[in-house]
Amino acid sequence: MAKRKKKPLAQPKPFRVRAARFSDEDAMMRILALADPDDPAPFESSRTVLLRGPQGPLSHGRALLLVAQHQDGAIAGALTASPPDWIVTHPGITGEHNQSALINRLGTVHGVAVDEPYRGQGIAQALIAEAERHLARQGFGLITMDHKPELTDFYARLGYAHGAQLVIHTPGPLIAQPAHTGMIHSFKPLEGNVRLRMVPGYPEPMVSGLVSRTHIPAGTQFLPGRGLFVPRGA
């Protein structure tokens, strides 16, 4: 009997992903600014979060700050994520109970970037994968992000669906949150109970099962002015 060839051992990555420390502040902020060089100001809130120091439930309270440290010691990449701010300002999400339900289930990557000398080594992919693991461990059911259209294929290879808006089925109305101007929404379920459904009559995928009592049944359709419904006999 012929011997099976052993698979070559995977080469160790020349970097490791870890939670950000206060000593990473300057490098992390410089790299995050690369995610949107025209408007780096939104990432400044990450500097304040770093000052709080590591704490649960994510790496820094409700925020997740990750860096990729290269084997040469340099900070090569950075990522920041948290529940999105629009949950508490969206007109369709009313009541503290409904806001809390989504805050505990929906995580958004606000920025991920890799320093130019270290690109092409899988660092961005590793940062995103670690963010997914962190969020899933803490019970988050969906991860989302806005990004430039040219990155759509990259995120599709990582298992993300995309659209012009994020649409979530809730116990109340459908919640639709458009992407920022010139951007694309990408989103990915982090557990089996959360699914993306294409509903006849609606142009975008809908998030089903993110919070309790929101699974979209088979046969569901959408009509403007009526919303979701299941036709008789479906």
Side-chain angles (χ1 to χ4, degrees):
M1 181 180 292
K3 292 183 178 179
R4 291 183 180 179
K5 292 183 178 179
K6 292 183 178 180
K7 293 182 180 180
L9 295 175
Q11 294 298 314
K13 295 177 181 179
F15 61 88
R16 67 184 182 97
V17 176
R18 59 168 175 80
R21 304 167 184 154
F22 181 68
S23 58
D24 302 321
E25 176 189 6
D26 290 341
M28 187 187 79
M29 297 308 303
R30 176 181 61 80
I31 293 171
L32 281 176
L34 300 174
D36 191 356
D38 296 328
D39 187 19
F43 303 118
E44 280 298 315
S45 61
S46 298
R47 192 187 302 273
T48 304
V49 172
L50 261 184
L51 292 173
R52 302 175 190 161
Q55 54 181 300
L58 298 174
S59 68
H60 293 73
R62 277 283 167 194
L64 179 62
L65 303 180
L66 300 175
V67 296
Q69 185 169 16
H70 199 268
Q71 62 186 11
D72 64 9
I75 300 302
L79 177 148
T80 176
S82 70
D85 293 338
W86 59 258
I87 289 177
V88 297
T89 59
H90 196 289
I93 307 173
T94 58
E96 186 176 343
H97 174 75
N98 292 328
Q99 291 177 354
S100 296
L102 283 172
I103 285 173
N104 291 324
R105 296 285 286 156
L106 177 60
T108 292
V109 173
H110 303 295
V112 58
V114 177
D115 207 1
E116 190 170 358
Y118 300 99
R119 293 176 183 172
Q121 300 181 38
I123 292 175
Q125 182 174 344
L127 283 164
I128 293 166
E130 188 63 22
E132 293 173 3
R133 285 191 287 269
H134 268 272
L135 291 169
R137 282 197 298 265
Q138 295 303 322
F140 286 75
L142 188 76
I143 183 171
T144 75
M145 64 197 70
D146 279 7
H147 57 79
K148 295 178 180 177
E150 56 266 30
L151 292 174
T152 301
D153 288 345
F154 169 75
Y155 286 109
R157 290 194 298 271
L158 301 183
Y160 285 77
H162 63 275
Q165 58 184 345
L166 174 67
V167 183
I168 303 174
H169 183 218
T170 74
L174 282 175
I175 301 301
Q177 176 66 19
H180 289 95
T181 303
M183 300 291 225
I184 298 290
H185 255 318
S186 280
F187 28 85
K188 179 180 180 180
L190 296 175
E191 61 182 46
N193 290 330
V194 180
R195 298 184 180 181
L196 303 178
R197 299 282 196 192
M198 290 304 303
V199 175
Y202 203 87
E204 302 279 355
M206 294 183 183
V207 180
S208 167
L210 185 60
V211 295
S212 63
R213 298 180 289 109
T214 61
H215 289 281
I216 300 175
T220 298
Q221 297 182 22
F222 176 84
L223 275 180
R226 180 175 178 181
L228 296 178
F229 72 101
V230 180
R232 291 182 179 179

